[in-house]
Amino acid sequence: MTELYAYKEAGRRPVTYLAAVVFAALIVIALHQNAPLFYYVPLVAGGAMVLYTLVKNPISGLVLLPDRLILSAWRKPNPVPVQSIARIEIISWSDSTDMKVHLKSGEEIRVFSGDIPPRASFAQALSRVGIPLEVT
């Protein structure tokens, strides 16, 4: 089937490489300054998370086809038939954005934050299949 819209975001982005360099520099500085042991706990934990992202390269995003919306399309695909979607809601908070897919059955599907696409292009694609988009 033809994709109407695809949003794909890889884990290996420039900011991830920058974070890896920052964590490595902080660990080297801590070793040079003989920092106390408790100082290494958040550094090693944060550095391990960034290293995991660089090695694993998780891909986030979604795909809209004429008959279905596939959430988390490259990790754990969750296909939702277009005809069962009542509306999609994007909620902007001061520090984050949430997205919910409201089904005609009354159920809600919460979307992983990494899968939330840019609004303008996503709204255009949704209008092609007749799904209303609410932005609050």
Side-chain angles (χ1 to χ4, degrees):
M1 272 221 171
T2 306
E3 288 181 358
L4 297 177
Y5 181 82
Y7 171 69
K8 188 175 185 179
E9 187 76 56
R12 291 184 194 140
R13 297 188 290 261
V15 72
T16 310
Y17 288 109
L18 176 64
V21 169
V22 167
F23 274 107
L26 288 173
I27 290 172
V28 167
I29 291 169
L31 287 169
H32 185 265
Q33 297 294 322
N34 294 325
L37 189 59
F38 68 86
Y39 186 79
Y40 292 96
V41 173
L43 286 181
V44 171
M49 286 188 281
V50 170
L51 185 62
Y52 170 81
T53 301
L54 289 174
V55 171
K56 183 78 173 170
N57 192 25
I59 297 175
S60 303
L62 53 80
V63 174
L64 178 63
L65 301 170
D67 63 336
R68 65 190 177 276
L69 174 66
I70 304 172
L71 304 171
S72 298
W74 292 274
R75 290 181 303 127
K76 289 183 174 180
N78 180 13
V80 181
V82 166
Q83 64 268 20
S84 69
I85 299 173
R87 64 188 167 91
I88 294 180
E89 179 182 21
I90 295 179
I91 305 149
S92 294
W93 303 96
S94 61
D95 62 342
S96 68
T97 302
D98 293 334
M99 185 169 120
K100 295 179 187 176
V101 177
H102 296 271
L103 303 178
K104 291 178 180 173
S105 66
E107 293 179 67
E108 288 181 355
I109 300 173
R110 292 184 176 269
V111 179
F112 169 64
S113 63
D115 291 342
I116 301 173
R119 290 183 198 130
S121 56
F122 188 49
Q124 287 178 340
L126 288 174
S127 68
R128 284 188 235 142
V129 292
I131 299 174
L133 177 67
E134 286 182 16
V135 179
T136 57

